[in-house]
Amino acid sequence: MEMVQDAVIVGAGIAGLATAVALKRVGIQALILERSDGLRATGSALTLFPNAWLALDALGVSHKLTSFYSSALRGSVTNVATGAVQEISFVGNNGGPKSVHRKALLEALVQELPADSVRFSSKFTAIEMVEQGGTSIPVVHLEDGTTVKSKVLIGCDGVHSVVAQWLGLSAPFHSGRSSVRGLSVFPQGHGLEQAIKQFVDVGKRAGFVPLNDKEIYWFLTCPEEKNMQRDPELIQKEVVEKYAENFPSLFLEVVRHADLSTLTWAPLMLRHPWNVIFGNLSKGNVTVAGDAMHPMTPDLGQGGCSALEDAVVLGRHIGNSFIKNGRFVEEDMALALEGYVKERRWRAAGLITGSYLSGWIQQSGSNWWMKFLRDAIFYGFLFRKVLNAVVYDCGTLPSAPGEQHSSNKTD
């Protein structure tokens, strides 16, 4: 079977769904090819900083989430070894971050799309460029024998992106650390304030933030293990008895209340920033977004945030071309993708670098100079600048004829 589409997006994660919403806002219906048989809610929750909420404003979906989640206006970092506590205020950074259920975010995005936008269980085997009408267009070959021709192809297929590989980008590499994430449930209420709590020790960092009065999202990062556990009960046991045994009892109590179905343990991977700066992020009418472009460690909480930024910027560049010409013009579309890449390249590389260095400073070394670098320099001086660096407005989308949506600014 052969299909012909204006725009094809590979992957129905945050980047893929958000990009489809952005394209819809500018008058383009995209087909999303997703290898799983349903929406991927792995990760249970994520923290969205003000830059992500500005992107959601531009996509017209922020109002679906803001009434359910509250901002964390302050937080703290506790040095496990010394007991010293560094207080952090998010006031003055366009509002504090809000942690949201990943599933809620995905559903808010997919609800904006036509019912037939996502084609699940679509595993693709190859990409090729074929000549059609004097121009080259991308063709995706699926495992079931289906071929899909498109005027633009966007890879949002995650860290191990096949589209990124086709573009010639280097494979992401292991950071040397891994992360456990989970969601804990307190049926009678946890009684904690809406604040981000973090705990650091040599080689380890953990933290949690309430999602509401009964659920808490938490994480722990540690040196990467060759044989990471996959069984949720064993993951929970290892965190409590091995990796966080000397952490405050409050954190251990949160872990003990984990909903085992939400626990994940995975290596933290990233792409070399210079590969993002100098690599081919687009080729003709093919490009990448989200983790397919810029996998990064979670130390600045910018993975999902930057994916939402990508969607708006990509939608703007494609939309400007589409609206100007009244249709897809393949040559002009390649220039639009080049404009998108130019706008995103350095920001993505900066976030990758900043995230990696933030994790390295906070978790590495027990000698006096590393402690001084972490406690006095990073938390005392640089952390505020790091927070300012993630305050970013990716802009708005052009309005297509007949497409009406409101920008619901968040507090």
Side-chain angles (χ1 to χ4, degrees):
M1 181 175 71
E2 182 177 290
M3 302 174 65
V4 179
Q5 299 287 328
D6 283 339
V8 170
I9 298 170
V10 182
I14 293 173
L17 292 175
T19 299
V21 172
L23 293 180
K24 178 177 177 287
R25 297 299 187 210
V26 299
I28 301 167
Q29 182 171 344
L31 174 67
I32 305 173
L33 302 175
E34 170 56 44
R35 64 180 291 115
S36 342
D37 58 4
L39 289 180
R40 295 171 289 155
T42 303
S44 68
L46 73 163
T47 300
L48 298 179
F49 284 79
N51 57 320
W53 291 103
L54 289 172
L56 289 170
D57 286 340
L59 294 172
V61 298
S62 62
H63 64 287
K64 294 185 175 183
L65 299 166
T66 51
S67 59
F68 297 103
Y69 302 99
S70 301
S71 296
L73 297 180
R74 68 188 200 87
S76 65
V77 181
T78 300
N79 185 319
V80 173
T82 65
V85 178
Q86 178 78 37
E87 298 292 340
I88 299 168
S89 172
F90 296 106
V91 176
N93 285 280
N94 290 348
K98 299 177 183 178
S99 291
V100 306
H101 294 87
R102 183 178 292 268
K103 185 178 180 181
L105 174 58
L106 296 178
E107 289 178 345
L109 292 168
V110 81
Q111 286 167 6
E112 296 296 309
L113 301 172
D116 57 351
S117 294
V118 185
R119 189 179 192 268
F120 293 107
S121 302
S122 296
K123 301 177 182 180
F124 76 98
T125 57
I127 305 169
E128 66 171 332
M129 301 296 289
V130 299
E131 292 295 322
Q132 180 172 295
T135 186
S136 294
I137 64 169
V139 177
V140 174
H141 296 269
L142 303 182
E143 198 175 69
D144 64 3
T146 302
T147 60
V148 187
K149 294 181 178 180
S150 64
K151 296 171 184 176
V152 62
L153 175 64
I154 305 164
C156 299
D157 46 338
V159 175
H160 303 290
S161 168
V162 177
V163 180
Q165 192 175 40
W166 182 85
L167 287 171
L169 294 172
S170 65
F173 68 96
H174 292 257
S175 66
R177 296 182 294 140
S178 60
S179 179
V180 181
R181 297 179 176 93
L183 192 66
S184 292
V185 180
F186 294 76
Q188 307 305 316
H190 50 66
L192 299 176
E193 62 177 334
Q194 189 67 31
I196 297 175
K197 302 286 187 181
Q198 292 193 68
F199 312 93
V200 295
D201 199 2
V202 178
K204 296 177 288 187
R205 184 165 65 93
F208 64 77
V209 56
L211 290 170
N212 49 48
D213 61 350
K214 294 183 179 180
E215 295 177 293
I216 296 176
Y217 170 57
W218 61 271
F219 70 89
L220 180 138
T221 58
C222 57
E224 187 175 339
E225 291 278 0
K226 291 184 178 179
N227 299 306
M228 290 183 292
Q229 297 290 348
R230 293 289 180 258
D231 180 87
E233 290 188 11
L234 293 178
I235 292 175
Q236 183 186 48
K237 181 180 175 66
E238 291 237 316
V239 171
V240 171
E241 298 182 1
K242 179 179 178 181
Y243 293 102
E245 61 175 343
N246 62 332
F247 278 47
S249 59
L250 178 59
F251 177 74
L252 297 178
E253 187 65 14
V254 169
V255 176
R256 291 190 182 101
H257 278 77
D259 175 352
L260 296 182
S261 68
T262 68
L263 290 187
T264 59
W265 192 357
L268 298 180
M269 305 183 73
L270 65 153
R271 174 163 283 130
H272 286 294
W274 50 86
N275 190 229
V276 175
I277 295 172
F278 300 111
N280 291 322
L281 300 182
S282 69
K283 185 186 297 183
N285 292 2
V286 181
T287 192
V288 284
D291 283 344
M293 177 193 282
H294 44 64
M296 65 185 74
T297 62
D299 302 287
L300 292 182
Q302 285 296 300
C305 299
S306 55
L308 292 169
E309 290 180 10
D310 291 342
V312 175
V313 176
L314 185 52
R316 182 169 63 250
H317 283 274
I318 293 177
N320 284 336
S321 170
F322 184 76
I323 294 170
K324 177 186 71 175
N325 295 296
R327 61 187 179 90
F328 274 98
V329 175
E330 280 76 6
E331 298 84 355
D332 201 42
M333 193 55 56
L335 292 175
L337 296 189
E338 288 179 10
Y340 154 72
V341 166
K342 182 178 180 180
E343 185 170 343
R344 296 303 294 162
R345 192 188 295 275
W346 284 96
R347 172 147 176 86
L351 289 175
I352 292 172
T353 304
S355 295
Y356 179 80
L357 291 177
S358 177
W360 176 75
I361 290 173
Q362 292 181 80
Q363 291 181 235
S364 297
S366 58
N367 50 46
W368 69 268
W369 64 270
M370 279 303 302
K371 290 180 179 178
F372 177 78
L373 178 63
R374 180 184 64 209
D375 298 337
I377 304 299
F378 183 77
Y379 288 128
F381 176 69
L382 291 179
F383 192 73
R384 175 59 55 185
K385 294 186 178 297
V386 169
L387 288 179
N388 288 335
V390 301
V391 175
Y392 179 85
D393 189 346
C394 61
T396 60
L397 291 164
S399 295
E403 177 66 32
Q404 299 292 327
H405 72 282
S406 60
S407 178
N408 298 278
K409 293 296 180 182
T410 57
D411 293 333

